Amino acid sequence: MGLSFWFGMRVCSTSSAVEAWYNQLAQDSATRDGERALDHPAAAEEAEWPLDGCPTAESVRCTDAAWRRTAAVYIVGIKSRALLNTTMQRVLRRAIDDGFAVHVYLSLIYDASGTGNWLRAREMSRQDPAIERLSRRGLQRYLRDLVRPTGACVLCAEIPQRPQELEHIPENPGQLREFPPHNTSTGKRVLNMWLRREKMWNATLLREAATGKRYEFLMWVRDDAYWVGDIPRPSALMQVPDAARTMWTLRCGEWGGVNDRVGMFGRDAAPAMLTMFSGFMHGGFPTGTRNSEVHLLKAARAGHVVLQRSTYDVLPLAIAMVYDTRRGPALCLLRKYWCGNAAGVSGLKFCEDINQSKPGSTTTPRRKGR
């Protein structure tokens, strides 16, 4: 199924230029069978990339070596909920148009079944039809093809088959009290996400060492991000006092700490923000963290990071998922993570308001949830 139906025609808030860009992606997707012949030059090159890690820093050549300013974007998540189209245009293209060379570090778990759902509304979710039937190798190629038209350069696109089994997880009393990683699946998911972000950070350090250039602007964003508008211009953020050690997040959904669905930061703030896995595993971290948001806040304070909390008008981010209707796949927004006004986004429902009792029904609000 082409993407134009539900990523182009059904998204009412995008500009005509972005809709045309989505439709072109749909056309490209329609001609790709997911297992492209290996005699294609690009496919032959991509087949050499590892699926369970990053290629060596020296082996990846980007065409942006002459650019003065560089940015790194980390996308860590799982295949089953990945929705990356708006991130391509609203994040990558935005930073490139602002004069930054953009390097993308991707890590999507191929099979996350059995790891549980945090939200009941996700029980009716389905995968993006464009990637649903792709193999691990096919997904890796698809991701690189998806990024390429933006002008960004993919430095890593790992597709682990399953979440890494973590051994010897410390109990760490007082840390992540609501879901301790040593005995809860939610805690293990959080720790696994931190681990993969840290792996991407380590790949970033190797790239810096190989090229002799330091990144100026760094950012992580969720795999299921739906951007209603562009991110702020990175060049403008980098002009504020102490920009190098500042982190920008959303001023909502903080649950006592810092919203962890998006983070933009200067280079000096990166080590504290991207090494939380090591901090937890090695016990060198303050106690009194009941959830990942509070943990992130204390990591920032321990690393002397300046926090800037922005409104939805500045960071127009929503979290979305795909679900089935009688007319085919459609998008909905998760109200639990919504930071905009009560009206939402024109043309898109809130997932929690969709009746889940009948397949394909989209009319009766569900009144119970957890």
Side-chain angles (χ1 to χ4, degrees):
M1 178 180 296
L3 288 176
S4 58
F5 173 73
W6 59 281
F7 262 139
M9 302 304 292
R10 294 180 66 85
V11 177
C12 301
S13 61
T14 57
S15 67
S16 58
V18 176
E19 287 182 2
W21 182 79
Y22 282 135
N23 290 334
Q24 182 59 52
L25 284 178
Q27 181 178 345
D28 294 344
S29 177
T31 62
R32 184 189 302 113
D33 62 4
E35 297 295 337
R36 191 172 44 189
L38 287 179
D39 59 356
H40 189 290
E45 175 189 350
E46 291 160 16
E48 299 175 358
W49 277 38
L51 291 170
D52 294 297
C54 300
T56 63
E58 298 82 359
S59 67
V60 182
R61 291 178 174 83
C62 301
T63 59
D64 52 27
W67 290 46
R68 186 172 61 87
R69 312 181 83 173
T70 55
V73 176
Y74 307 100
I75 305 172
V76 172
I78 59 179
K79 172 179 176 278
S80 60
R81 70 182 189 194
L83 297 170
L84 304 178
N85 296 65
T86 59
T87 297
M88 300 298 107
Q89 186 73 5
R90 301 298 196 176
V91 176
L92 305 188
R93 188 69 247 178
R94 172 70 159 174
I96 289 169
D97 289 344
D98 194 37
F100 281 78
V102 178
H103 295 168
V104 183
Y105 296 82
L106 286 150
S107 176
L108 293 182
I109 292 175
Y110 189 77
D111 178 10
S113 59
T115 58
N117 273 323
W118 178 256
L119 293 178
R120 187 173 186 176
R122 285 205 182 274
E123 294 174 1
M124 66 174 181
S125 68
R126 60 159 296 167
Q127 291 192 40
D128 175 351
I131 65 175
E132 186 172 22
R133 297 185 179 182
L134 297 183
S135 66
R136 292 171 69 197
R137 184 66 69 192
L139 177 60
Q140 187 183 69
R141 295 173 190 151
Y142 173 88
L143 294 173
R144 296 187 70 186
D145 285 348
L146 188 68
V147 171
R148 190 174 289 118
T150 70
C153 182
V154 179
L155 269 291
C156 184
E158 71 162 10
I159 315 292
Q161 177 68 32
R162 294 282 297 166
Q164 182 173 331
E165 291 291 335
L166 302 176
E167 299 179 352
H168 310 299
I169 300 175
E171 293 191 19
N172 287 356
Q175 295 188 33
L176 299 179
R177 294 194 308 272
E178 291 182 355
F179 35 82
H182 73 280
N183 64 4
T184 67
S185 60
T186 299
K188 286 182 173 66
R189 287 201 305 272
V190 170
L191 209 56
N192 194 280
M193 179 185 66
W194 290 352
L195 168 63
R196 289 187 292 138
R197 277 186 188 163
E198 191 163 332
K199 287 176 63 178
M200 300 299 103
W201 167 240
N202 290 335
T204 301
L205 294 176
L206 292 174
R207 182 69 181 185
E208 287 184 337
T211 62
K213 295 178 65 174
R214 276 169 59 97
Y215 289 96
E216 182 180 358
F217 175 80
L218 304 95
M219 176 180 182
W220 74 55
V221 63
R222 279 181 52 138
D223 52 340
D224 52 0
Y226 179 86
W227 291 94
V228 181
D230 293 339
I231 64 169
R233 290 189 301 112
S235 61
L237 297 179
M238 292 297 98
Q239 290 176 4
V240 306
D242 294 322
R245 61 186 185 95
T246 296
M247 177 176 178
W248 291 265
T249 65
L250 270 168
R251 189 193 299 163
C252 77
E254 297 175 303
W255 286 283
V258 173
N259 187 312
D260 63 354
R261 277 156 286 290
V262 60
M264 305 185 300
F265 35 94
R267 176 59 176 78
D268 293 346
M273 297 295 92
L274 294 167
T275 59
M276 288 190 293
F277 174 79
S278 294
F280 183 91
M281 293 296 288
H282 299 152
F285 206 84
T287 58
T289 63
R290 61 186 178 88
N291 55 35
S292 57
E293 289 81 8
V294 175
H295 208 89
L296 181 61
L297 173 62
K298 294 207 171 188
R301 288 175 175 171
H304 307 289
V305 174
V306 179
L307 290 173
Q308 293 284 351
R309 294 173 169 90
S310 302
T311 63
Y312 169 82
D313 293 336
V314 177
L315 277 174
L317 172 68
I319 302 301
M321 74 180 198
V322 186
Y323 70 104
D324 282 320
T325 73
R326 292 188 180 95
R327 294 187 296 166
L331 284 176
C332 62
L333 305 181
L334 287 161
R335 178 183 280 114
K336 182 177 179 66
Y337 302 125
W338 176 245
C339 297
N341 59 45
V345 177
S346 175
L348 295 179
K349 298 175 180 288
F350 284 114
C351 307
E352 291 88 341
D353 294 342
I354 298 170
N355 180 24
Q356 300 177 48
S357 60
K358 298 179 181 179
S361 174
T362 62
T363 56
T364 307
R366 187 182 189 100
R367 301 189 180 279
K368 289 187 67 177
R370 63 183 180 188

PDB file of all heavy atoms in Angstrom, residues 314-347:
ATOM      1  N   VAL A 314       6.944  26.344  20.262  1.00  0.00           N
ATOM      2  CA  VAL A 314       8.360  26.354  19.875  1.00  0.00           C
ATOM      3  C   VAL A 314       8.799  24.967  19.413  1.00  0.00           C
ATOM      4  O   VAL A 314       9.551  24.842  18.440  1.00  0.00           O
ATOM      5  CB  VAL A 314       9.233  26.833  21.054  1.00  0.00           C
ATOM      6  CG1 VAL A 314      10.711  26.792  20.694  1.00  0.00           C
ATOM      7  CG2 VAL A 314       8.827  28.247  21.473  1.00  0.00           C
ATOM      8  N   LEU A 315       8.330  23.943  20.101  1.00  0.00           N
ATOM      9  CA  LEU A 315       8.651  22.550  19.750  1.00  0.00           C
ATOM     10  C   LEU A 315       7.336  21.825  19.440  1.00  0.00           C
ATOM     11  O   LEU A 315       6.775  21.145  20.303  1.00  0.00           O
ATOM     12  CB  LEU A 315       9.380  21.860  20.903  1.00  0.00           C
ATOM     13  CG  LEU A 315      10.882  22.076  21.026  1.00  0.00           C
ATOM     14  CD1 LEU A 315      11.406  21.427  22.302  1.00  0.00           C
ATOM     15  CD2 LEU A 315      11.611  21.523  19.826  1.00  0.00           C
ATOM     16  N   PRO A 316       6.832  21.956  18.210  1.00  0.00           N
ATOM     17  CA  PRO A 316       5.506  21.409  17.875  1.00  0.00           C
ATOM     18  C   PRO A 316       5.532  19.905  17.631  1.00  0.00           C
ATOM     19  O   PRO A 316       5.334  19.414  16.516  1.00  0.00           O
ATOM     20  CB  PRO A 316       5.137  22.179  16.603  1.00  0.00           C
ATOM     21  CG  PRO A 316       6.453  22.484  15.960  1.00  0.00           C
ATOM     22  CD  PRO A 316       7.436  22.690  17.086  1.00  0.00           C
ATOM     23  N   LEU A 317       5.741  19.150  18.698  1.00  0.00           N
ATOM     24  CA  LEU A 317       5.893  17.701  18.609  1.00  0.00           C
ATOM     25  C   LEU A 317       4.667  16.993  19.165  1.00  0.00           C
ATOM     26  O   LEU A 317       4.165  17.344  20.238  1.00  0.00           O
ATOM     27  CB  LEU A 317       7.136  17.256  19.387  1.00  0.00           C
ATOM     28  CG  LEU A 317       7.330  15.745  19.541  1.00  0.00           C
ATOM     29  CD1 LEU A 317       7.646  15.101  18.201  1.00  0.00           C
ATOM     30  CD2 LEU A 317       8.431  15.442  20.549  1.00  0.00           C
ATOM     31  N   ALA A 318       4.194  16.003  18.458  1.00  0.00           N
ATOM     32  CA  ALA A 318       3.173  15.082  18.953  1.00  0.00           C
ATOM     33  C   ALA A 318       3.714  13.662  18.815  1.00  0.00           C
ATOM     34  O   ALA A 318       4.697  13.419  18.113  1.00  0.00           O
ATOM     35  CB  ALA A 318       1.870  15.245  18.170  1.00  0.00           C
ATOM     36  N   ILE A 319       3.079  12.727  19.508  1.00  0.00           N
ATOM     37  CA  ILE A 319       3.407  11.312  19.380  1.00  0.00           C
ATOM     38  C   ILE A 319       2.214  10.631  18.723  1.00  0.00           C
ATOM     39  O   ILE A 319       1.068  10.804  19.145  1.00  0.00           O
ATOM     40  CB  ILE A 319       3.693  10.676  20.760  1.00  0.00           C
ATOM     41  CG1 ILE A 319       4.855  11.416  21.450  1.00  0.00           C
ATOM     42  CG2 ILE A 319       4.023   9.198  20.597  1.00  0.00           C
ATOM     43  CD1 ILE A 319       6.156  11.424  20.680  1.00  0.00           C
ATOM     44  N   ALA A 320       2.487   9.880  17.657  1.00  0.00           N
ATOM     45  CA  ALA A 320       1.405   9.322  16.846  1.00  0.00           C
ATOM     46  C   ALA A 320       1.563   7.821  16.685  1.00  0.00           C
ATOM     47  O   ALA A 320       2.600   7.237  17.008  1.00  0.00           O
ATOM     48  CB  ALA A 320       1.375   9.996  15.471  1.00  0.00           C
ATOM     49  N   MET A 321       0.518   7.211  16.166  1.00  0.00           N
ATOM     50  CA  MET A 321       0.579   5.795  15.822  1.00  0.00           C
ATOM     51  C   MET A 321      -0.370   5.539  14.660  1.00  0.00           C
ATOM     52  O   MET A 321      -1.259   6.328  14.348  1.00  0.00           O
ATOM     53  CB  MET A 321       0.240   4.914  17.021  1.00  0.00           C
ATOM     54  CG  MET A 321      -1.217   4.895  17.395  1.00  0.00           C
ATOM     55  SD  MET A 321      -1.523   3.817  18.828  1.00  0.00           S
ATOM     56  CE  MET A 321      -3.293   3.575  18.660  1.00  0.00           C
ATOM     57  N   VAL A 322      -0.182   4.402  13.997  1.00  0.00           N
ATOM     58  CA  VAL A 322      -1.032   3.983  12.894  1.00  0.00           C
ATOM     59  C   VAL A 322      -2.061   2.988  13.419  1.00  0.00           C
ATOM     60  O   VAL A 322      -1.749   2.137  14.256  1.00  0.00           O
ATOM     61  CB  VAL A 322      -0.201   3.317  11.780  1.00  0.00           C
ATOM     62  CG1 VAL A 322      -1.073   3.015  10.564  1.00  0.00           C
ATOM     63  CG2 VAL A 322       0.969   4.198  11.386  1.00  0.00           C
ATOM     64  N   TYR A 323      -3.293   3.129  12.957  1.00  0.00           N
ATOM     65  CA  TYR A 323      -4.329   2.158  13.314  1.00  0.00           C
ATOM     66  C   TYR A 323      -5.188   1.891  12.079  1.00  0.00           C
ATOM     67  O   TYR A 323      -5.137   2.633  11.090  1.00  0.00           O
ATOM     68  CB  TYR A 323      -5.186   2.674  14.477  1.00  0.00           C
ATOM     69  CG  TYR A 323      -6.095   3.826  14.111  1.00  0.00           C
ATOM     70  CD1 TYR A 323      -7.460   3.635  13.922  1.00  0.00           C
ATOM     71  CD2 TYR A 323      -5.586   5.115  13.961  1.00  0.00           C
ATOM     72  CE1 TYR A 323      -8.298   4.686  13.586  1.00  0.00           C
ATOM     73  CE2 TYR A 323      -6.414   6.183  13.634  1.00  0.00           C
ATOM     74  CZ  TYR A 323      -7.767   5.957  13.448  1.00  0.00           C
ATOM     75  OH  TYR A 323      -8.593   7.016  13.111  1.00  0.00           O
ATOM     76  N   ASP A 324      -5.963   0.829  12.110  1.00  0.00           N
ATOM     77  CA  ASP A 324      -6.797   0.442  10.975  1.00  0.00           C
ATOM     78  C   ASP A 324      -8.183   1.059  11.072  1.00  0.00           C
ATOM     79  O   ASP A 324      -8.785   1.105  12.157  1.00  0.00           O
ATOM     80  CB  ASP A 324      -6.937  -1.086  10.911  1.00  0.00           C
ATOM     81  CG  ASP A 324      -5.707  -1.752  10.326  1.00  0.00           C
ATOM     82  OD1 ASP A 324      -5.151  -1.202   9.357  1.00  0.00           O
ATOM     83  OD2 ASP A 324      -5.302  -2.813  10.837  1.00  0.00           O
ATOM     84  N   THR A 325      -8.684   1.528   9.939  1.00  0.00           N
ATOM     85  CA  THR A 325     -10.067   1.957   9.817  1.00  0.00           C
ATOM     86  C   THR A 325     -10.690   1.186   8.658  1.00  0.00           C
ATOM     87  O   THR A 325     -10.012   0.439   7.949  1.00  0.00           O
ATOM     88  CB  THR A 325     -10.167   3.469   9.523  1.00  0.00           C
ATOM     89  OG1 THR A 325      -9.758   3.715   8.161  1.00  0.00           O
ATOM     90  CG2 THR A 325      -9.265   4.270  10.457  1.00  0.00           C
ATOM     91  N   ARG A 326     -11.982   1.383   8.453  1.00  0.00           N
ATOM     92  CA  ARG A 326     -12.647   0.696   7.336  1.00  0.00           C
ATOM     93  C   ARG A 326     -12.078   1.135   5.990  1.00  0.00           C
ATOM     94  O   ARG A 326     -12.166   0.407   5.004  1.00  0.00           O
ATOM     95  CB  ARG A 326     -14.150   0.967   7.391  1.00  0.00           C
ATOM     96  CG  ARG A 326     -14.860   0.333   8.580  1.00  0.00           C
ATOM     97  CD  ARG A 326     -16.369   0.477   8.475  1.00  0.00           C
ATOM     98  NE  ARG A 326     -17.044  -0.135   9.619  1.00  0.00           N
ATOM     99  CZ  ARG A 326     -17.407   0.527  10.702  1.00  0.00           C
ATOM    100  NH1 ARG A 326     -17.151   1.828  10.786  1.00  0.00           N
ATOM    101  NH2 ARG A 326     -18.012  -0.094  11.690  1.00  0.00           N
ATOM    102  N   ARG A 327     -11.510   2.346   5.960  1.00  0.00           N
ATOM    103  CA  ARG A 327     -10.949   2.858   4.711  1.00  0.00           C
ATOM    104  C   ARG A 327      -9.460   2.573   4.580  1.00  0.00           C
ATOM    105  O   ARG A 327      -8.831   2.995   3.615  1.00  0.00           O
ATOM    106  CB  ARG A 327     -11.207   4.363   4.610  1.00  0.00           C
ATOM    107  CG  ARG A 327     -12.673   4.726   4.471  1.00  0.00           C
ATOM    108  CD  ARG A 327     -12.838   6.209   4.213  1.00  0.00           C
ATOM    109  NE  ARG A 327     -12.381   7.004   5.346  1.00  0.00           N
ATOM    110  CZ  ARG A 327     -12.164   8.321   5.299  1.00  0.00           C
ATOM    111  NH1 ARG A 327     -12.311   8.957   4.155  1.00  0.00           N
ATOM    112  NH2 ARG A 327     -11.779   8.972   6.380  1.00  0.00           N
ATOM    113  N   GLY A 328      -8.900   1.910   5.571  1.00  0.00           N
ATOM    114  CA  GLY A 328      -7.480   1.600   5.517  1.00  0.00           C
ATOM    115  C   GLY A 328      -6.711   2.236   6.662  1.00  0.00           C
ATOM    116  O   GLY A 328      -7.301   2.821   7.578  1.00  0.00           O
ATOM    117  N   PRO A 329      -5.383   2.152   6.664  1.00  0.00           N
ATOM    118  CA  PRO A 329      -4.573   2.692   7.755  1.00  0.00           C
ATOM    119  C   PRO A 329      -4.711   4.213   7.880  1.00  0.00           C
ATOM    120  O   PRO A 329      -4.848   4.921   6.876  1.00  0.00           O
ATOM    121  CB  PRO A 329      -3.136   2.307   7.370  1.00  0.00           C
ATOM    122  CG  PRO A 329      -3.299   1.200   6.383  1.00  0.00           C
ATOM    123  CD  PRO A 329      -4.559   1.472   5.652  1.00  0.00           C
ATOM    124  N   ALA A 330      -4.705   4.699   9.109  1.00  0.00           N
ATOM    125  CA  ALA A 330      -4.777   6.126   9.379  1.00  0.00           C
ATOM    126  C   ALA A 330      -3.889   6.440  10.583  1.00  0.00           C
ATOM    127  O   ALA A 330      -3.449   5.540  11.303  1.00  0.00           O
ATOM    128  CB  ALA A 330      -6.214   6.562   9.646  1.00  0.00           C
ATOM    129  N   LEU A 331      -3.640   7.715  10.797  1.00  0.00           N
ATOM    130  CA  LEU A 331      -2.848   8.169  11.935  1.00  0.00           C
ATOM    131  C   LEU A 331      -3.752   8.714  13.023  1.00  0.00           C
ATOM    132  O   LEU A 331      -4.783   9.339  12.747  1.00  0.00           O
ATOM    133  CB  LEU A 331      -1.885   9.282  11.516  1.00  0.00           C
ATOM    134  CG  LEU A 331      -0.633   8.910  10.745  1.00  0.00           C
ATOM    135  CD1 LEU A 331       0.115  10.175  10.342  1.00  0.00           C
ATOM    136  CD2 LEU A 331       0.265   8.013  11.580  1.00  0.00           C
ATOM    137  N   CYS A 332      -3.343   8.528  14.270  1.00  0.00           N
ATOM    138  CA  CYS A 332      -3.975   9.216  15.394  1.00  0.00           C
ATOM    139  C   CYS A 332      -2.876   9.693  16.342  1.00  0.00           C
ATOM    140  O   CYS A 332      -1.746   9.194  16.295  1.00  0.00           O
ATOM    141  CB  CYS A 332      -4.974   8.320  16.129  1.00  0.00           C
ATOM    142  SG  CYS A 332      -4.264   6.839  16.901  1.00  0.00           S
ATOM    143  N   LEU A 333      -3.216  10.667  17.170  1.00  0.00           N
ATOM    144  CA  LEU A 333      -2.266  11.239  18.121  1.00  0.00           C
ATOM    145  C   LEU A 333      -2.563  10.726  19.527  1.00  0.00           C
ATOM    146  O   LEU A 333      -3.725  10.575  19.911  1.00  0.00           O
ATOM    147  CB  LEU A 333      -2.358  12.770  18.122  1.00  0.00           C
ATOM    148  CG  LEU A 333      -2.196  13.480  16.780  1.00  0.00           C
ATOM    149  CD1 LEU A 333      -2.298  14.991  16.973  1.00  0.00           C
ATOM    150  CD2 LEU A 333      -0.879  13.116  16.122  1.00  0.00           C
ATOM    151  N   LEU A 334      -1.525  10.467  20.284  1.00  0.00           N
ATOM    152  CA  LEU A 334      -1.688  10.016  21.662  1.00  0.00           C
ATOM    153  C   LEU A 334      -1.862  11.229  22.573  1.00  0.00           C
ATOM    154  O   LEU A 334      -0.944  12.043  22.732  1.00  0.00           O
ATOM    155  CB  LEU A 334      -0.488   9.179  22.085  1.00  0.00           C
ATOM    156  CG  LEU A 334      -0.441   7.785  21.448  1.00  0.00           C
ATOM    157  CD1 LEU A 334       0.953   7.198  21.512  1.00  0.00           C
ATOM    158  CD2 LEU A 334      -1.447   6.864  22.135  1.00  0.00           C
ATOM    159  N   ARG A 335      -3.061  11.335  23.157  1.00  0.00           N
ATOM    160  CA  ARG A 335      -3.359  12.484  24.017  1.00  0.00           C
ATOM    161  C   ARG A 335      -2.436  12.530  25.236  1.00  0.00           C
ATOM    162  O   ARG A 335      -2.111  13.611  25.737  1.00  0.00           O
ATOM    163  CB  ARG A 335      -4.812  12.445  24.470  1.00  0.00           C
ATOM    164  CG  ARG A 335      -5.166  13.597  25.410  1.00  0.00           C
ATOM    165  CD  ARG A 335      -6.587  13.543  25.927  1.00  0.00           C
ATOM    166  NE  ARG A 335      -7.530  14.060  24.946  1.00  0.00           N
ATOM    167  CZ  ARG A 335      -8.458  13.332  24.346  1.00  0.00           C
ATOM    168  NH1 ARG A 335      -8.543  12.034  24.618  1.00  0.00           N
ATOM    169  NH2 ARG A 335      -9.294  13.865  23.490  1.00  0.00           N
ATOM    170  N   LYS A 336      -2.036  11.370  25.717  1.00  0.00           N
ATOM    171  CA  LYS A 336      -1.193  11.331  26.921  1.00  0.00           C
ATOM    172  C   LYS A 336       0.074  12.152  26.737  1.00  0.00           C
ATOM    173  O   LYS A 336       0.598  12.723  27.699  1.00  0.00           O
ATOM    174  CB  LYS A 336      -0.830   9.879  27.253  1.00  0.00           C
ATOM    175  CG  LYS A 336       0.012   9.726  28.524  1.00  0.00           C
ATOM    176  CD  LYS A 336       0.267   8.270  28.820  1.00  0.00           C
ATOM    177  CE  LYS A 336       1.132   8.110  30.079  1.00  0.00           C
ATOM    178  NZ  LYS A 336       0.432   8.578  31.296  1.00  0.00           N
ATOM    179  N   TYR A 337       0.564  12.237  25.504  1.00  0.00           N
ATOM    180  CA  TYR A 337       1.801  12.956  25.245  1.00  0.00           C
ATOM    181  C   TYR A 337       1.563  14.278  24.503  1.00  0.00           C
ATOM    182  O   TYR A 337       2.517  14.892  24.029  1.00  0.00           O
ATOM    183  CB  TYR A 337       2.741  12.084  24.398  1.00  0.00           C
ATOM    184  CG  TYR A 337       3.078  10.764  25.042  1.00  0.00           C
ATOM    185  CD1 TYR A 337       2.847   9.561  24.368  1.00  0.00           C
ATOM    186  CD2 TYR A 337       3.605  10.698  26.329  1.00  0.00           C
ATOM    187  CE1 TYR A 337       3.146   8.339  24.956  1.00  0.00           C
ATOM    188  CE2 TYR A 337       3.904   9.482  26.920  1.00  0.00           C
ATOM    189  CZ  TYR A 337       3.679   8.305  26.231  1.00  0.00           C
ATOM    190  OH  TYR A 337       3.975   7.104  26.821  1.00  0.00           O
ATOM    191  N   TRP A 338       0.317  14.697  24.395  1.00  0.00           N
ATOM    192  CA  TRP A 338      -0.017  15.895  23.625  1.00  0.00           C
ATOM    193  C   TRP A 338       0.242  17.140  24.453  1.00  0.00           C
ATOM    194  O   TRP A 338      -0.202  17.260  25.589  1.00  0.00           O
ATOM    195  CB  TRP A 338      -1.475  15.836  23.192  1.00  0.00           C
ATOM    196  CG  TRP A 338      -1.976  17.052  22.475  1.00  0.00           C
ATOM    197  CD1 TRP A 338      -2.936  17.915  22.911  1.00  0.00           C
ATOM    198  CD2 TRP A 338      -1.569  17.531  21.193  1.00  0.00           C
ATOM    199  NE1 TRP A 338      -3.145  18.902  21.991  1.00  0.00           N
ATOM    200  CE2 TRP A 338      -2.320  18.692  20.927  1.00  0.00           C
ATOM    201  CE3 TRP A 338      -0.628  17.083  20.260  1.00  0.00           C
ATOM    202  CZ2 TRP A 338      -2.172  19.423  19.750  1.00  0.00           C
ATOM    203  CZ3 TRP A 338      -0.481  17.813  19.092  1.00  0.00           C
ATOM    204  CH2 TRP A 338      -1.239  18.953  18.841  1.00  0.00           C
ATOM    205  N   CYS A 339       0.931  18.116  23.865  1.00  0.00           N
ATOM    206  CA  CYS A 339       1.282  19.353  24.564  1.00  0.00           C
ATOM    207  C   CYS A 339       0.645  20.588  23.940  1.00  0.00           C
ATOM    208  O   CYS A 339       0.877  21.702  24.406  1.00  0.00           O
ATOM    209  CB  CYS A 339       2.802  19.539  24.576  1.00  0.00           C
ATOM    210  SG  CYS A 339       3.696  18.247  25.463  1.00  0.00           S
ATOM    211  N   GLY A 340      -0.129  20.406  22.852  1.00  0.00           N
ATOM    212  CA  GLY A 340      -0.770  21.535  22.201  1.00  0.00           C
ATOM    213  C   GLY A 340      -2.120  21.853  22.819  1.00  0.00           C
ATOM    214  O   GLY A 340      -2.451  21.409  23.926  1.00  0.00           O
ATOM    215  N   ASN A 341      -2.932  22.626  22.098  1.00  0.00           N
ATOM    216  CA  ASN A 341      -4.242  22.995  22.630  1.00  0.00           C
ATOM    217  C   ASN A 341      -5.202  21.821  22.524  1.00  0.00           C
ATOM    218  O   ASN A 341      -4.940  20.813  21.874  1.00  0.00           O
ATOM    219  CB  ASN A 341      -4.798  24.232  21.904  1.00  0.00           C
ATOM    220  CG  ASN A 341      -4.956  24.013  20.408  1.00  0.00           C
ATOM    221  OD1 ASN A 341      -5.460  22.983  19.977  1.00  0.00           O
ATOM    222  ND2 ASN A 341      -4.522  24.984  19.616  1.00  0.00           N
ATOM    223  N   ALA A 342      -6.368  21.987  23.177  1.00  0.00           N
ATOM    224  CA  ALA A 342      -7.314  20.880  23.292  1.00  0.00           C
ATOM    225  C   ALA A 342      -7.883  20.449  21.950  1.00  0.00           C
ATOM    226  O   ALA A 342      -8.354  19.314  21.809  1.00  0.00           O
ATOM    227  CB  ALA A 342      -8.450  21.273  24.240  1.00  0.00           C
ATOM    228  N   ALA A 343      -7.850  21.323  20.962  1.00  0.00           N
ATOM    229  CA  ALA A 343      -8.430  20.996  19.657  1.00  0.00           C
ATOM    230  C   ALA A 343      -7.609  19.966  18.895  1.00  0.00           C
ATOM    231  O   ALA A 343      -8.116  19.305  17.985  1.00  0.00           O
ATOM    232  CB  ALA A 343      -8.569  22.265  18.821  1.00  0.00           C
ATOM    233  N   GLY A 344      -6.351  19.819  19.244  1.00  0.00           N
ATOM    234  CA  GLY A 344      -5.499  18.860  18.553  1.00  0.00           C
ATOM    235  C   GLY A 344      -5.079  19.363  17.179  1.00  0.00           C
ATOM    236  O   GLY A 344      -4.909  20.560  16.958  1.00  0.00           O
ATOM    237  N   VAL A 345      -4.923  18.447  16.235  1.00  0.00           N
ATOM    238  CA  VAL A 345      -4.499  18.764  14.879  1.00  0.00           C
ATOM    239  C   VAL A 345      -5.647  18.463  13.923  1.00  0.00           C
ATOM    240  O   VAL A 345      -6.245  17.391  13.983  1.00  0.00           O
ATOM    241  CB  VAL A 345      -3.254  17.939  14.479  1.00  0.00           C
ATOM    242  CG1 VAL A 345      -2.861  18.212  13.036  1.00  0.00           C
ATOM    243  CG2 VAL A 345      -2.091  18.256  15.408  1.00  0.00           C
ATOM    244  N   SER A 346      -5.937  19.405  13.060  1.00  0.00           N
ATOM    245  CA  SER A 346      -7.037  19.237  12.119  1.00  0.00           C
ATOM    246  C   SER A 346      -6.871  17.956  11.303  1.00  0.00           C
ATOM    247  O   SER A 346      -5.821  17.706  10.723  1.00  0.00           O
ATOM    248  CB  SER A 346      -7.105  20.446  11.174  1.00  0.00           C
ATOM    249  OG  SER A 346      -8.092  20.260  10.173  1.00  0.00           O
ATOM    250  N   GLY A 347      -7.919  17.139  11.283  1.00  0.00           N
ATOM    251  CA  GLY A 347      -7.902  15.923  10.476  1.00  0.00           C
ATOM    252  C   GLY A 347      -7.388  14.695  11.188  1.00  0.00           C
ATOM    253  O   GLY A 347      -7.453  13.601  10.631  1.00  0.00           O
TER     254      GLY A 347
END
